[in-house]
Amino acid sequence: MAAAVVEKVINTTMGDAKQRQMEGYRLEENSKTPLTTYFGAKVENTDIALRAGSRGPTVLEDFHNREKISHFDHERIPERVVHARGAGAFGEFKLHTALTGITTAKILTDTSKITPAYVRFSTVNGSRGSADSVRDPRGFASRLYTEEGNWDIVGNNIPVFFIQDAIKFPDLVHAVKPEPHNEIPQAQTAHDNAWDFMSLHPQSTHMQQWVLSDRAIPRSFRHMQGFGVHTFRLLDADGKSTFVKFHWTPHLGTHSLVWDEALKLAGQDPDFHRRDLYDAIEAGSYPKWELGVQLVKEEDEHNFDFDLLDSTKIIPEDLVPVKNIGTLTLNRNPDDYFTEVEEVAFCTSHIVPGMDFSSDPLLAGRNFSYFDTQISRIGVNFPDIPVNKPVCPFATNLSDGHMQTQSKKNRTRYHPNRHDALPVTAPQHGGFRPYAEVVNGIKERMHGPKFNEFINQAQLFYNSMSETEQQHIISAAQFELSKCFETQVQQAAVERFNMINHEFAKAVAESLTSVTVPAPAKYHNQKSAFLSQVNGKSQTFTAEGRKVGVYVMEGFEYSQIAAISAAMQAVPMMVKYVGPGTGPVKSSSGETVTAEFTFENSRSTYFDAVLFVGSPASDQSYLKSAKNGRLIHAAREAFMHQKTVGATGNMVGWLATMCLPGDVQVSQDVQDQTGVVTAVNVGSGAQFAKTFIDGVAKHRVWERDVSHIAA
Ligand code: HEM
């Protein structure tokens, strides 16, 4: 059966306030809506331009032709200068743990409210049409439409950044984008300029580790953490400040693709992440995240060996735990990509009363840059675009500008005025008042002294990885540097790696013939218990929301899959049938399942796990049909990508002899051979289902040796 699409009803609650507002802008056009010009005249013919004679010249007076072409000519707006490629969804946020006494922000203190929300996920480097699965940080820009105004946490899925000061941002982006002479390579940092920049900026060493790690190739947007990165402030009623870092933690766990899979997906399904989010929401499998805070008292600001104002550093969770305070659920796809995703405009400066910024110099630049770029991207009145409008009342003295659509009756656009129009609000009644910070210093181009230490947390990250994750970092570094053609660049990168870990540097250098590794540096050997995706303390492992490709052919034995499929759907997981063609596939006993994918139009990379269903033992033709290169490749490839692979009935023998000889033995009963779950006789299916689902929940079988598999 194809996944049912869940109809989202719009209620009169605060949680749906944004959708009620959006409804006013959504057009229901159908066969009863006549086509008109932009000015309302009904159109009689939109296929042939007005001509002087059927073979004569086209005439200028055809206003419909001119309007149609001219509007088309101006359809494109500039894409975002970074984070151009993205996908968005609406949802809601519910606070469950109030930060009473720490902030006056209602969104963080009132647990009775449901607040409308919106998130846009993105890649950083690639253009709008680039692929989703590239190695890159992911944007995680979230907006809560609170009663006190829009609050944006414009974060990434990586908690630190390449640079410490926004003045470096144009340099960084010019370096990591495709090289300027030939605009190659797209959407990736595997080139000389990116690595040259990083080697000349030791401050990027920590972020570089995260980008080489599996974090930069997430399994999906649903499996990503989000981080506000900067330190912000929360303010109580007396204006007292507490430092805060914001975290989004996915209920489904933080999981990644493997590199070979990511490379293939970039071609097989460039929309892999966008599609995954869209499909999950349409199927009612709504992704959820916990909003967490790390709180540091004002008086503890200097108790760390790093500066809280330095965005290249995390506050290790081992030092300051993350306290989860609320849940974000994404439950509605946009109706129109352009107006609801392309035109959304986030800014770090969108905060609400009860919050403020820290003096992080990167944050200061961002507070300026977003608004500034949006003026050229979507015009000065972009807050009036529906997706950007607050749901609370708003009124400004801002006036005019391109595409102003509001006719304000108030005749005074200044303050104060004789009518007392648009009065200001005192902080005790909800007016925004910035933190009264004592500032004292010499005006100079300088950072605090702790900004000059770059290596400790890079070492901490590498040390905290499991062996598998370290191997992935090594392979990623080998890949990236092998795409750099200047030895000087490779040498500088390896020297930096040596400051993190000598064995790491040596392993990378082995793949680069002209590079030498310096003597070991000083290493602190400390680890954090929270950074690994394999064994990190805050990690979640669940089969929920995972996609399983179930391969069937005409004449499959329904009893081999019926109970297993029902058990998976109950988790709930997404069961996707793959057949020789799309549409119904009939079992030997007459039941049908609907194949959404075919052997030819899909790849194992589309799924978290694959399962091959057999036929009644007497049916030899079934096995003949299974001698299909695509099918065999799917099994071998899923095995190579360390996924759970299953087979039932006579497909167990097929798997053991045709696909994975030497790696899998035939067994009558349920067996788990390093994540290959087989049973010639599935019986009731209950034990098979449990073993298979438990395998999927583990995400990958890292202990499986796949070095001999080519797929
Ligand atoms: C902690 C570091 C940073 C993070 C986490 C971050 C995150 C993001 C995200 C998530 C977006 C996409 C917003 C969307 O979905 O529409 C974005 C866009 C953008 N970022 Fe950043 N960014 C960082 C640093 C910077 C800095 C330092 C600057 C400039 C000084 C900057 C300038 C921009 C610009 C110009 C856009 C495009 C905005 C638009 O056209 O709407 N970012 N950033």
Side-chain angles (χ1 to χ4, degrees):
M1 294 270 294
V5 172
V6 175
E7 273 296 321
K8 182 84 178 63
V9 178
I10 298 174
N11 296 310
T12 53
T13 54
M14 171 65 185
D16 275 349
K18 188 67 197 169
Q19 290 315 315
R20 285 198 303 282
Q21 187 189 53
M22 297 291 293
E23 281 305 287
Y25 299 93
R26 290 189 174 120
L27 303 177
E28 280 292 342
E29 292 163 340
N30 53 37
S31 59
K32 296 200 175 60
T33 320
L35 180 72
T36 72
T37 65
Y38 218 159
F39 299 94
K42 286 185 187 146
V43 171
E44 169 249 355
N45 182 324
T46 190
D47 302 318
I48 302 176
L50 197 61
R51 308 178 75 172
S54 65
R55 301 190 62 255
T58 302
V59 299
L60 192 60
E61 79 176 60
D62 184 353
F63 55 85
H64 176 56
N65 184 21
R66 277 190 284 118
E67 176 190 83
K68 192 171 170 182
I69 293 180
S70 180
H71 194 276
F72 168 78
D73 290 344
H74 298 275
E75 268 176 18
R76 289 290 167 271
I77 60 170
E79 66 174 31
R80 288 170 180 81
V81 65
V82 282
H83 295 264
R85 179 168 178 82
F90 292 97
E92 57 187 40
F93 174 76
K94 175 108 171 54
L95 188 76
H96 55 68
T97 308
L99 295 181
T100 317
I102 294 174
T103 174
T104 55
K106 285 193 188 143
I107 178 77
L108 297 179
T109 49
D110 186 345
T111 53
S112 70
K113 296 272 161 53
I114 295 181
T115 301
Y118 180 90
V119 177
R120 180 174 178 272
F121 301 103
S122 48
T123 51
V124 178
N125 209 353
S127 54
R128 252 190 85 179
S130 56
D132 279 348
S133 61
V134 296
R135 179 174 296 285
D136 204 11
R138 298 299 186 282
F140 192 128
S142 49
R143 165 168 297 165
L144 303 179
Y145 300 93
T146 88
E147 285 180 14
E148 298 177 293
N150 289 353
W151 174 32
D152 293 352
I153 306 176
V154 197
N156 280 346
N157 74 330
I158 289 177
V160 289
F161 203 60
F162 287 107
I163 49 170
Q164 297 168 313
D165 189 320
I167 197 171
K168 295 298 308 170
F169 194 70
D171 296 321
L172 167 72
V173 176
H174 292 166
V176 296
K177 285 270 183 184
E179 295 192 346
H181 62 299
N182 57 6
E183 193 64 5
I184 295 176
Q186 292 299 308
Q188 50 187 295
T189 50
H191 58 87
D192 282 303
N193 274 358
W195 282 91
D196 184 37
F197 178 90
M198 288 190 270
S199 74
L200 293 169
H201 292 82
Q203 60 193 273
S204 68
T205 309
H206 186 200
M207 173 84 163
Q208 190 188 85
Q209 280 296 296
W210 286 79
V211 172
L212 289 174
S213 81
D214 296 343
R215 301 278 179 156
I217 43 170
R219 155 65 185 85
S220 77
F221 296 137
R222 299 182 292 143
H223 292 91
M224 278 179 2
Q225 280 178 290
F227 301 94
V229 181
H230 311 279
T231 303
F232 288 82
R233 292 175 186 278
L234 296 177
L235 306 180
D236 74 5
D238 300 325
K240 186 168 170 288
S241 149
T242 305
F243 290 110
V244 61
K245 289 228 187 205
F246 296 108
H247 297 237
W248 292 113
T249 306
H251 282 202
L252 299 180
T254 309
H255 299 287
S256 295
L257 301 169
V258 294
W259 181 232
D260 182 67
E261 196 183 11
L263 279 177
K264 288 173 171 170
L265 275 169
Q268 291 165 352
D269 185 5
D271 304 307
F272 185 68
H273 287 152
R274 178 182 287 194
R275 190 189 308 284
D276 175 277
L277 180 70
Y278 188 89
D279 286 354
I281 293 176
E282 287 302 291
S285 182
Y286 300 142
K288 289 185 164 54
W289 286 262
E290 283 303 295
L291 176 63
V293 289
Q294 280 181 298
L295 299 171
V296 177
K297 288 188 181 141
E298 184 78 21
E299 54 271 28
D300 294 337
E301 178 180 6
H302 300 294
N303 288 355
F304 304 95
D305 60 5
F306 52 88
D307 198 322
L308 289 184
L309 307 184
D310 176 358
S311 278
T312 65
K313 308 294 184 332
I314 55 168
I315 306 179
E317 288 182 52
D318 318 69
L319 300 181
V320 179
V322 173
K323 177 186 166 103
N324 286 334
I325 58 169
T327 309
L328 167 75
T329 306
L330 294 182
N331 56 19
R332 192 185 209 288
N333 280 315
D335 283 331
D336 180 53
Y337 184 87
F338 185 80
T339 52
E340 298 179 34
V341 185
E342 199 56 19
E343 292 197 308
V344 71
F346 295 93
C347 185
T348 43
S349 66
H350 296 159
I351 56 172
V352 292
M355 303 177 183
D356 204 355
F357 313 111
S358 70
S359 300
D360 175 342
L362 193 70
L363 177 57
R366 294 183 73 195
N367 286 343
F368 161 73
S369 176
Y370 289 78
F371 185 85
D372 187 46
T373 194
Q374 283 147 8
I375 290 174
S376 66
R377 191 164 70 79
I378 36 183
V380 73
N381 286 309
F382 67 83
D384 275 338
I385 295 169
V387 69
N388 295 322
K389 273 187 189 216
V391 295
C392 65
F394 63 100
T396 72
N397 280 323
L398 304 173
S399 200
D400 306 350
H402 274 291
M403 300 301 298
Q404 177 62 257
T405 54
Q406 299 190 336
S407 299
K408 299 182 182 181
K409 292 188 180 169
N410 162 30
R411 294 190 184 180
T412 53
R413 306 278 163 85
Y414 53 88
H415 181 89
N417 57 66
R418 63 193 179 284
H419 306 304
D420 285 338
L422 307 195
V424 296
T425 307
Q428 58 272 30
H429 299 298
F432 180 87
R433 174 176 283 180
Y435 176 60
E437 186 176 3
V438 177
V439 178
N440 178 3
I442 301 165
K443 186 169 72 181
E444 55 186 345
R445 293 189 188 273
M446 282 282 285
H447 292 308
K450 289 183 191 168
F451 271 56
N452 295 324
E453 195 292 308
F454 308 118
I455 304 300
N456 277 344
Q457 291 204 353
Q459 281 187 19
L460 185 75
F461 183 80
Y462 188 80
N463 296 346
S464 308
M465 295 296 104
S466 64
E467 221 174 283
T468 304
E469 288 166 300
Q470 287 185 343
Q471 191 49 54
H472 289 176
I473 293 176
I474 292 168
S475 308
Q478 287 173 335
F479 180 92
E480 294 266 314
L481 291 184
S482 70
K483 304 276 177 177
C484 295
F485 299 107
E486 299 197 25
T487 311
Q488 175 195 354
V489 171
Q490 296 174 333
Q491 180 66 39
V494 169
E495 283 174 20
R496 183 68 43 70
F497 296 159
N498 189 55
M499 295 170 86
I500 298 168
N501 182 290
H502 187 60
E503 296 309 314
F504 167 41
K506 265 178 33 190
V508 177
E510 270 168 25
S511 67
L512 306 166
T513 44
S514 319
V515 163
T516 52
V517 185
K522 249 176 124 183
Y523 307 111
H524 61 54
N525 297 326
Q526 286 160 13
K527 289 183 182 189
S528 161
F530 293 89
L531 295 175
S532 164
Q533 287 182 243
V534 172
N535 53 34
K537 263 190 178 170
S538 47
Q539 177 62 302
T540 302
F541 290 91
T542 170
E544 194 184 325
R546 295 298 184 133
K547 234 178 238 178
V548 178
V550 178
Y551 291 72
V552 286
M553 290 175 290
E554 204 75 6
F556 74 95
E557 191 167 39
Y558 188 68
S559 60
Q560 286 182 28
I561 185 63
I564 299 167
S565 168
M568 290 197 284
Q569 269 155 352
V571 171
M573 293 157 75
M574 295 183 221
V575 177
K576 303 284 178 188
Y577 286 100
V578 190
T582 50
V585 185
K586 208 170 185 183
S587 74
S588 57
S589 44
E591 298 88 348
T592 57
V593 295
T594 305
E596 270 181 66
F597 296 97
T598 71
F599 301 157
E600 188 52 45
N601 84 0
S602 69
R603 297 292 185 270
S604 78
T605 48
Y606 292 12
F607 309 113
D608 292 292
V610 291
L611 174 55
F612 299 91
V613 184
S615 67
S618 55
D619 180 1
Q620 288 305 309
S621 65
Y622 196 83
L623 285 180
K624 262 198 197 146
S625 309
K627 258 193 189 176
N628 170 316
R630 278 278 169 248
L631 213 56
I632 295 167
H633 186 264
R636 292 176 66 80
E637 189 179 51
F639 182 86
M640 179 174 122
H641 293 153
Q642 290 161 303
K643 295 175 179 174
T644 296
V645 176
T648 61
N650 52 8
M651 289 299 270
V652 178
W654 167 85
L655 189 69
T657 54
M658 193 112 22
C659 307
L660 300 166
D663 288 302
V664 176
Q665 309 302 321
V666 177
S667 58
Q668 279 300 312
D669 301 327
V670 178
Q671 258 203 39
D672 182 350
Q673 303 171 65
T674 51
V676 180
V677 181
T678 59
V680 172
N681 179 4
V682 297
S684 73
Q687 197 197 336
F688 188 102
K690 184 174 178 337
T691 313
F692 190 82
I693 293 168
D694 286 352
V696 178
K698 286 184 194 141
H699 178 60
R700 298 294 161 106
V701 191
W702 297 123
E703 64 275 20
R704 183 191 291 160
D705 175 19
V706 294
S707 51
H708 57 293
I709 302 286

